[in-house]
Amino acid sequence: MSNKVKLVEVGPRDGLQNEKSLVDTKVKFEFIKLLHEAGLDCIEVTSFVRPDKIPQMQDSADLYKMVADKLDLQKLRTPCLVPNLKGLEKAKGLGVKEIALFTATSNTFNLKNINASVDESFIRLEAVAKEALENDISIRGYLSTVFGCPYEGKIQTEQVLRTLEKLMKLGVYEVSLGDTIGVANPHQVVAIISEIKKNFDLSKMAMHFHDTEGMALANIYTSYEEGIRVFDSSAAGLGGCPYAKGATGNVATDDVVNLFEKLNVETGVDMSKLHEASRFILEHLKKDSVSKFYNAYRGRHSKA
Ligand code: HMG
Ligand code: MG
């Protein structure tokens, strides 16, 4: 099995979507450019959702245009989150080549997040997936609340497998399994991946850990040992979903790259350039990083 991993950078979307003050579109673009220069070649740039629900993403069309205009999209994949046909129409109009469709294992979370139950969400997604595939737009899938829901608590494994199967049937090339509120532990990770392995091709699975309880790196290492080779992360550990109360950001790309470097696993990412990208966005947000490695690196490289 390959000792390379693929990182999907979700900082510009998941990382920023919860930020209250609106980040300038040009700043978002510069962040994406720096991330790409650091070697990240799959960056989720934005989402085409209701602007009143997620105000930070209201500039999605302008941002996508800027990215398509100024960056080489032969070398950079730029999936965009799409919730429904209306979002797909916008994405299509801009020439988006790849979308990410999302649903969850939990009815309550879905109702709050996308105003649809799990079953209703699949009716919506089927139409979107059909239209996208007919237009040669490839689809990544997200399954949220795999390890726990902020409203319903623990989710039964059967429910995870059932929803995962429905998502795969939409024609997605990969499903990202979300620990939306950051409550997973390595034992749960082993248990769920063992079940998934029995029924699905593991090379089509990615893991998406939020780091609320500081367990994300342990869960990533465990997932890697279990055979997963694709991981979502967010530069500087920014992020969160407004409909997942109390949950903090995604695992920091900085920490994930450091972990894999120490394990001699190739990520394709240049650490010093990644640090610049993280520093750039943190300075704009006037925030400190929650990434242990970002802070250690900064300490080591700052002039005494
Ligand atoms: P809805 O209210 O059910 O939609 O929203 P509707 O079809 O009933 O339409 C109502 C109004 O919204 C209409 O406007 C539509 O035009 C408009 P009006 O006629 O009243 O003026 N509308 C839209 N406007 C712009 N773009 C659209 C769109 N669709 C309808 N695409 C919807 C359903 C899902 C759109 C809404 O609930 C929504 O946008 N929710 C936000 C979801 C979101 O972005 N959540 C965060 C991302 S998910 C996440 O973070 C988890 C993840 O990271 C994985 C993990 O961590 O587990 C992916
Ligand atoms: Mg997320």
Side-chain angles (χ1 to χ4, degrees):
M1 188 174 262
S2 156
N3 66 344
K4 255 189 191 170
V5 289
K6 185 184 105 182
L7 300 187
V8 177
E9 172 62 43
V10 296
R13 195 278 304 170
D14 208 348
L16 294 181
Q17 73 183 7
N18 220 13
E19 290 297 325
K20 296 285 168 282
S21 59
L22 294 185
V23 178
D24 192 273
T25 312
K26 286 196 190 111
V27 170
K28 291 180 185 173
F29 169 75
E30 192 59 28
F31 179 39
I32 292 166
K33 182 167 166 271
L34 290 170
L35 290 166
H36 183 40
E37 283 169 4
L40 290 151
D41 58 7
C42 183
I43 304 178
E44 194 172 80
V45 291
T46 189
S47 60
F48 294 94
V49 298
R50 274 181 65 164
D52 56 328
K53 297 274 178 191
I54 312 280
Q56 187 64 255
M57 297 288 119
Q58 65 188 265
D59 64 347
S60 50
D62 289 341
L63 178 61
Y64 193 84
K65 271 188 223 155
M66 223 179 258
V67 167
D69 197 36
K70 295 188 179 359
L71 301 182
D72 181 357
L73 297 194
Q74 302 293 333
K75 294 191 179 137
L76 171 65
R77 285 175 38 217
T78 53
C80 298
L81 207 66
V82 159
N84 55 11
L85 279 170
K86 179 149 191 166
L88 180 67
E89 284 312 311
K90 288 191 181 170
K92 236 169 62 181
L94 291 160
V96 169
K97 297 272 174 293
E98 181 172 339
I99 58 169
L101 296 181
F102 58 112
T103 186
T105 63
S106 142
N107 276 323
T108 319
F109 176 76
N110 255 0
L111 284 165
K112 290 186 192 284
N113 193 35
I114 55 172
N115 192 27
S117 67
V118 175
D119 286 346
E120 285 161 356
S121 77
F122 278 106
I123 296 170
R124 231 184 240 177
L125 295 185
E126 273 161 26
V128 183
K130 186 169 176 287
E131 174 81 9
L133 294 174
E134 278 171 11
N135 285 277
D136 288 328
I137 296 173
S138 60
I139 312 171
R140 189 167 200 250
Y142 274 111
L143 187 59
S144 288
T145 62
V146 166
F147 297 94
C149 166
Y151 312 102
E152 293 184 17
K154 192 171 164 11
I155 299 294
Q156 296 303 312
T157 304
E158 295 70 39
Q159 173 67 356
V160 174
L161 297 175
R162 221 177 4 249
T163 41
L164 178 55
E165 184 170 15
K166 284 186 156 190
L167 208 42
M168 293 296 291
K169 278 195 177 141
L170 295 179
V172 301
Y173 71 82
E174 178 175 289
V175 173
S176 177
L177 301 160
D179 181 17
T180 317
I181 52 170
V183 290
N185 67 61
H187 283 179
Q188 274 183 305
V189 169
V190 171
I192 201 80
I193 294 178
S194 313
E195 286 305 313
I196 288 173
K197 262 183 207 170
K198 290 182 201 159
N199 301 281
F200 304 93
D201 176 358
L202 216 51
S203 71
K204 294 200 164 149
M205 300 297 142
M207 303 305 279
H208 178 107
F209 290 110
H210 284 259
D211 200 23
T212 317
E213 298 182 0
M215 287 283 207
L217 275 190
N219 291 329
I220 287 180
Y221 180 65
T222 307
S223 306
Y224 179 79
E225 290 288 293
E226 290 299 307
I228 300 281
R229 291 293 178 270
V230 186
F231 297 95
D232 299 355
S233 61
S234 165
L238 300 171
C241 171
Y243 301 99
K245 290 267 176 293
T248 62
N250 294 89
V251 64
T253 310
D254 317 62
D255 287 323
V256 178
V257 171
N258 178 49
L259 170 72
F260 285 122
E261 273 190 9
K262 301 273 157 66
L263 298 174
N264 286 322
V265 173
E266 217 180 295
T267 62
V269 177
D270 177 313
M271 184 57 88
S272 76
K273 289 185 178 166
L274 171 63
H275 189 79
E276 285 313 305
S278 297
R279 190 166 66 97
F280 171 82
I281 197 65
L282 287 167
E283 279 179 6
H284 275 278
L285 296 171
K286 299 186 177 49
K287 277 195 155 177
D288 293 327
S289 178
V290 293
S291 157
K292 281 247 170 26
F293 185 76
Y294 174 93
N295 291 325
Y297 187 97
R298 186 132 198 82
R300 262 179 238 148
H301 291 81
S302 62
K303 292 182 193 88

